[in-house]
Amino acid sequence: MHLIAYLKTGPTAQHTGGWRHPESRLDDILDASRYEHIARVLEDAKFDGCFFADLFGLYDIHDGSYDAYVRGGGQISFLDPTVVLPVMAAATRNLGLGATLSTSFHTAYHLARWLASLDVMSKGRVAWNVVTSATDLEAQNAGLDGLPPRELRYDRADEVLEACFALWNGWEEGAFVLDKQAGVFADPSKVHYANYEGRWIKTRGPLSIPRSPQGHPVIMQAGSSDRGREFAARWAEVIFTIQRGQKEMSEFYQDIKGRMQAKGRAPAECAILPGISVVLGETESIARERADYLNSLINPELNRAATSSNLGADITKLREGVTLASLQGNQGMQGSEDMLNQTMKAQGLTFEQVAVQRGQGREFVGTASMVADRMQDIFESGVCDGFVVSPVTFPGMFEQFCRSVVPELQRRGLFRTDYAGRTLRENLRS
């Protein structure tokens, strides 16, 4: 199986109470040492890679304010991940490194240049988590009035990726000559213009960044709408998804792999990785006590705010006669809405109950062997290609997971004991 870590440059990841745990580190959030350390922990455990979830702004959808997020320690990006990732690259040799960047706000040339530079410097270990963005606040930070409709965002994203690939492919392998005697630094016949022109995107090139060892960054994606799935089937090499259970995982997996085949892509070219969180203990009862304690640290209002952010709608305004769709406009993440609806239906919960709980109880709780059992069962049932692991406490959960669960997976022959490839793409396909 493949394992990728979900990271944030802030106090919390998916579990909104985790930062309040006594073992969570807070004093180093703005320090390079925090990110160097977690990179080494993940690489020592032979994780395929990690990626930073990110937002081009600060959530203020809930009750029209960022109060709940700032006061409660929500998923805030205190640092730009594109600045943090080079620090992690310097501390490692094999770990894949992913950045979340939006196709809605940046030019294709900027994106291609940023990502190619990091891919060259890391010797082919970069992934781009492609997002089209889901909130008007991000659009307003980029000088726009709001987001265009989801369909148009994905149409633009297709053009951005087409343009980026044209730029990345503008340098052939072996372009550098470095012949001092002849005075030839590089062969200009191996450098080409992109000359890309679409409806929204236009770029001439050539890119000034030479070809990386893996040719171009690995493409990650997380869209769950029908249009998002079509986009993923065309471009994605890794898909991060959140599903309620194995039935939903299987439906998603089969749908994506089928769409890939319809586009002429081999299913093995994309790893589908559902997100999981883990609470470990020496015994099952200890693990459950730890999970209960962690959940007691959750601020219900922050969970409501996180629900507002993910749905792209201020849920404080929901009342009789006011629909979620009327509050969303062009905002919101389809995957979050699907998960909410699945949970309401499966557990017979109200919207308010799901908003407050927000994933509570979905953690894998138990001993290292029990967690490995559950991961093995899901993986071997053929509904995923591995997992994206999100921390409940940081860095403790990753340290525990890498120290106890990973060796158990390795003992069972389910996970690598060393890296097989030189680049992230090679490791994802080995």
Side-chain angles (χ1 to χ4, degrees):
M1 64 178 67
H2 298 285
L3 296 176
I4 289 179
Y6 178 106
L7 300 176
K8 289 288 291 187
T9 60
T12 189
Q14 302 284 357
H15 194 289
T16 55
W19 71 270
R20 297 179 61 196
H21 193 279
E23 295 178 1
S24 288
R25 290 289 302 270
L26 299 176
D27 59 346
D28 61 350
I29 288 176
L30 304 181
D31 292 348
S33 61
R34 178 183 180 92
Y35 305 101
E36 291 171 334
H37 171 71
I38 196 60
R40 293 188 182 108
V41 167
L42 296 171
E43 182 166 81
D44 287 346
K46 314 306 178 188
F47 265 58
D48 291 78
C50 60
F51 81 99
F52 283 96
D54 195 27
L55 184 79
F56 199 58
L58 182 62
Y59 280 127
D60 61 358
I61 295 173
H62 190 71
D63 206 20
S65 170
Y66 46 69
D67 182 85
Y69 261 77
V70 173
R71 187 185 307 278
Q75 286 204 59
I76 303 171
S77 298
F78 286 128
L79 297 170
D80 186 330
T82 61
V83 175
V84 175
L85 287 172
V87 171
M88 299 171 72
T92 54
R93 296 182 62 186
N94 297 286
L95 184 71
L97 305 159
T100 297
L101 290 164
S102 177
T103 56
S104 296
F105 311 133
H106 307 295
T107 70
Y109 197 93
H110 276 121
L111 289 165
R113 190 170 189 263
W114 289 334
L115 291 160
S117 295
L118 186 54
D119 206 28
V120 168
M121 290 290 287
S122 66
K123 295 182 170 55
R125 293 190 281 139
V126 169
W128 174 15
N129 181 36
V130 179
V131 296
T132 61
S133 295
T135 61
D136 286 341
L137 68 92
E138 295 174 274
Q140 290 158 7
N141 285 339
L144 307 174
D145 292 330
L147 290 173
R150 182 182 287 120
E151 301 292 317
L152 292 183
R153 297 202 300 270
Y154 275 114
D155 289 349
R156 176 187 167 91
D158 275 325
E159 289 193 5
V160 169
L161 265 74
E162 288 169 0
C164 283
F165 273 82
L167 291 163
W168 289 328
N169 291 329
W171 281 73
E172 298 178 24
E173 291 185 19
F176 283 170
V177 179
L178 307 181
D179 188 336
K180 293 183 178 180
Q181 196 69 27
V184 180
F185 183 82
D187 182 351
S189 70
K190 293 187 175 183
V191 182
H192 311 285
Y193 288 103
N195 289 328
Y196 179 86
E197 185 170 357
R199 179 180 175 186
W200 291 280
I201 304 301
K202 183 177 180 179
T203 186
R204 188 187 70 151
L207 195 66
S208 63
I209 316 300
R211 194 173 188 85
S212 79
Q214 65 176 355
H216 60 82
V218 167
I219 303 300
M220 290 185 65
Q221 209 265 345
S224 292
S225 66
D226 183 71
R227 183 63 178 89
R229 294 184 189 203
E230 279 295 295
F231 182 84
R234 180 181 179 186
W235 298 106
E237 298 170 83
V238 176
I239 295 177
F240 168 44
T241 181
I242 298 179
Q243 304 292 335
R244 200 191 70 83
Q246 284 183 234
K247 178 177 178 292
E248 291 80 9
M249 288 181 195
S250 178
E251 291 171 352
F252 183 85
Y253 190 89
Q254 295 302 323
D255 181 59
I256 292 293
K257 298 291 186 175
R259 290 176 191 243
M260 288 179 65
Q261 286 183 311
K263 292 183 180 297
R265 295 184 65 199
E269 291 179 9
C270 179
I272 298 178
L273 311 179
I276 63 170
S277 291
V278 173
V279 181
L280 293 163
E282 293 80 1
T283 66
E284 182 179 3
S285 61
I286 290 174
R288 297 207 173 278
E289 285 182 15
R290 288 178 175 168
D292 290 342
Y293 176 67
L294 270 163
N295 289 334
S296 75
L297 301 175
I298 292 173
N299 178 343
E301 192 58 21
L302 180 55
N303 267 4
R304 291 188 186 94
T307 300
S308 290
S309 299
N310 289 339
L311 295 178
D314 182 359
I315 65 172
T316 65
K317 295 180 179 179
L318 279 176
R319 57 184 62 87
E320 188 174 350
V322 179
T323 65
L324 184 64
S326 69
L327 296 173
Q328 286 175 310
N330 293 322
Q331 301 187 102
M333 291 180 275
Q334 187 66 51
S336 296
E337 190 170 343
D338 291 344
M339 173 65 73
L340 185 144
N341 290 328
Q342 289 170 12
T343 304
M344 287 172 61
K345 181 178 179 181
Q347 299 183 18
L349 300 175
T350 65
F351 181 95
E352 171 65 12
Q353 288 172 323
V354 177
V356 170
Q357 291 180 7
R358 197 178 168 270
Q360 191 173 321
R362 289 208 307 267
E363 299 92 356
F364 289 10
V365 180
T367 64
S369 181
M370 290 171 64
V371 169
D373 284 343
R374 192 165 175 189
M375 294 174 70
Q376 180 173 3
D377 177 60
I378 295 172
F379 176 66
E380 290 185 340
S381 69
V383 301
C384 71
D385 301 302
F387 302 91
V388 169
V389 185
S390 177
V392 290
T393 60
F394 188 93
M397 192 223 74
F398 281 127
E399 292 169 340
Q400 288 179 306
F401 185 90
C402 292
R403 191 169 53 239
S404 59
V405 179
V406 167
E408 182 63 21
L409 295 172
Q410 292 169 329
R411 185 185 67 78
R412 301 180 189 195
L414 294 168
F415 189 61
R416 68 169 66 87
T417 56
D418 204 355
Y419 292 100
R422 298 175 303 114
T423 68
L424 174 58
R425 181 172 291 106
E426 289 174 354
N427 285 319
L428 283 167
R429 296 190 183 179
S430 63

